[in-house]
């Protein structure tokens, strides 16, 4: 899970992957639209963390609201909720 949650202006997302492979960690808005890709690279199984600064792919600040992040590697996928308060 990310911390702090709710957050402003940034949050740290800790995640663990069970297998080696290409890992993606993407952030989506409440409508399911992708707003940011934080990780898209080959990684070994293990624990990691990444900071999310509440900005979209083009660097604009996101509005307050509920967002989801999804970690995927191989057949493994996990989705969690986070709340941005401006």
């Amino acid at each position: 899970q990310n911390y702090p949650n709710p957050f402003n202006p940034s949050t740290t997302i800790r995640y663990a992957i069970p297998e080696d492979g290409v890992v993606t960690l993407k952030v989506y808005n409440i409508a399911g639209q992708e707003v940011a890709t934080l990780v898209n690279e080959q990684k070994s199984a293990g624990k990691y963390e990444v900071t999310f600064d509440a900005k979209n792919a083009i660097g604009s600040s996101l509005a307050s609201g509920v967002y989801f992040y999804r970690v995927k590697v191989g057949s493994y996928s996990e989705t969690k909720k986070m709340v941005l308060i401006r």
Side-chain angles (χ1 to χ4, degrees):
Q1 185 67 47
N2 65 300
Y3 68 92
N5 191 19
F7 69 97
N8 180 21
S10 67
T11 187
T12 300
I13 299 171
R14 287 185 176 167
Y15 62 98
I17 54 172
E19 60 188 71
D20 297 357
V22 176
V23 176
T24 59
L25 193 158
K26 297 184 178 189
V27 178
Y28 300 88
N29 63 20
I30 196 75
Q33 300 165 314
E34 182 182 324
V35 296
T37 299
L38 304 181
V39 178
N40 186 16
E41 61 190 51
Q42 180 77 30
K43 290 191 177 285
S44 300
K47 296 179 181 180
Y48 299 90
E49 63 179 46
V50 64
T51 300
F52 176 51
D53 62 1
K55 293 188 176 164
N56 64 18
I58 59 171
S60 300
S61 294
L62 298 174
S64 294
V66 175
Y67 293 87
F68 297 91
Y69 65 89
R70 177 188 285 166
V71 178
K72 270 183 94 170
V73 59
S75 60
Y76 173 79
S77 176
E78 183 176 28
T79 304
K80 299 270 187 170
K81 179 172 83 171
M82 57 186 170
V83 179
L84 170 60
I85 298 177
R86 290 274 183 206

